[in-house]
Amino acid sequence: MPAVLPPALAPLLDSLRCPVCGAALQPAQGALRCPTGHTFNIARQGYVSLLTGTRALSGDDTAMVQARTRFLATGTYAPVSRVLTHLAAEAMPTRGTVLDAGCGTGYYLAGVLDRLPTARGLGLDASVRALRSAVRSHERAAAASWDVFRPFPLADQAVDVVLNVFAPRNPPEFHRVLRGSGRLIVVRPTHQHLAELHAHVPGTVTIDPDKERRLRRALGPFFEAAGTRRLEYPARLTSQEAADLVGMTPSARHLGQEDLAGRGALPDRITVSVLATSYRPRGAPTRTGSETRAIRRGRR
């Protein structure tokens, strides 16, 4: 374990909270510890292991992380990153804090931090394999293992921007940790996203046509939309890039090797189509007792 606190993690100690009792955390010989003695190891790779109790139900495995790293390095999703970064920059104060909920390998968080030289960033993800990449994605990117369906290990109103890119959502917690002047930025696919891939590989996960309505219903009590950007463009792929695109998505869990073996059947051209919306927090919403209990149990 590292003998010293990772430099990117140190500025975030005032925002982090013990996920067991909610107390503040302090460094303690390669770990973080609260006053009551709950201790969370800092992995030698530099992320902190905060996820306790019941483990997350899913998370990118090694093959998925490797495929994601290779694919994102091609720059195919760079326009998506630029739109996200622009929306984040509009909302970020000097020396603000960015939380990437479901950060994966840290690709999008790193893009925002590149644009904002005084910002600090924290990525949360259930996959420790992805977090090993996230902590290397940027010198100001800290990372912690966490299930985004559980209450976040953060103080109230601790962050200025929450990023949620192709990831699960926890609207009540997004609202709680955001400052009143902050913004939630949600990037999600439209029904046209990767349509060619779905046509070539029927087993790939498709977009629920009711997705936007469900999103509005989930976010409505906590946020109001401040502006939406639609981004759509074609992109050419090599056979390896097409295979990595399939391999980095949830579809990889549903497809056997025989489904991916015939790379010649994969498309050499795809449509990237996403919506990016910036949301402002509403006043404190009324939360029912059943909703609170569900959140504490880590349910959607």
Side-chain angles (χ1 to χ4, degrees):
M1 293 183 183
V4 296
L5 194 67
L9 188 59
L12 293 164
L13 286 180
D14 58 342
S15 301
L16 291 172
R17 293 294 181 268
C18 173
V20 178
C21 67
L25 293 170
Q26 294 296 326
Q29 296 182 333
L32 297 182
R33 183 176 300 156
C34 75
T36 56
H38 300 121
T39 303
F40 308 92
N41 291 333
I42 299 172
R44 61 184 176 82
Q45 293 89 352
Y47 65 88
V48 58
S49 299
L50 293 178
L51 191 57
T52 60
T54 302
R55 308 301 291 181
L57 297 178
S58 64
D60 291 358
D61 59 25
T62 299
M64 292 174 70
V65 170
Q66 291 172 344
R68 186 181 305 278
T69 299
R70 288 192 300 265
F71 182 81
L72 292 175
T74 68
T76 304
Y77 278 7
V80 178
S81 179
R82 286 194 292 270
V83 168
L84 172 72
T85 296
H86 177 74
L87 292 174
E90 289 182 332
M92 182 64 67
T94 303
R95 299 189 179 280
T97 300
V98 184
L99 171 67
D100 190 345
C103 66
T105 59
Y107 174 77
Y108 297 103
L109 177 59
V112 171
L113 294 177
D114 272 343
R115 170 75 179 271
L116 304 170
T118 60
R120 56 188 185 178
L122 173 66
L124 300 179
D125 203 278
S127 169
V128 297
R129 299 166 184 85
L131 292 174
R132 292 168 187 166
S133 296
V135 293
R136 297 194 303 268
S137 67
H138 197 280
E139 62 182 5
R140 284 179 279 117
S145 62
W146 197 247
D147 179 350
V148 299
F149 292 126
R150 299 173 65 177
F152 294 170
L154 290 163
D156 294 352
Q157 299 188 3
V159 304
D160 300 284
V161 171
V162 173
L163 308 179
N164 183 246
V165 188
F166 305 132
R169 286 176 284 276
N170 188 336
E173 283 299 285
F174 291 165
H175 185 273
R176 181 184 66 81
V177 302
L178 263 177
R179 296 189 174 97
S181 58
R183 291 292 185 271
L184 164 67
I185 302 171
V186 177
V187 178
R188 67 279 187 197
T190 76
H191 70 283
Q192 291 294 331
H193 186 59
L194 308 183
E196 300 86 354
L197 190 64
H198 303 319
H200 282 75
V201 186
T204 54
V205 177
T206 57
I207 307 303
D208 180 356
D210 200 36
K211 188 179 184 70
E212 284 301 302
R213 187 180 70 83
R214 290 191 296 105
L215 178 66
R216 289 193 297 270
R217 185 173 60 191
L219 293 181
F222 305 96
F223 296 94
E224 58 181 336
T228 296
R229 294 275 303 274
R230 183 183 179 109
L231 179 66
E232 188 167 296
Y233 59 91
R236 289 201 168 276
L237 302 177
T238 65
S239 59
Q240 180 63 57
E241 290 165 358
D244 285 339
L245 180 57
V246 175
M248 77 183 213
T249 68
S251 299
R253 298 192 182 97
H254 306 284
L255 298 172
Q257 288 301 315
E258 64 277 7
D259 297 304
L260 302 179
R263 290 184 178 180
L266 294 176
D268 61 1
R269 184 183 179 92
I270 58 165
T271 298
V272 178
S273 180
V274 303
L275 295 173
T277 302
S278 177
Y279 295 89
R280 62 172 65 93
R282 296 186 188 275
T286 300
R287 185 184 301 168
T288 67
S290 61
E291 286 175 330
T292 300
R293 288 191 295 274
I295 292 164
R296 287 175 179 166
R297 289 194 297 267
R299 297 183 350 207
R300 291 179 190 244

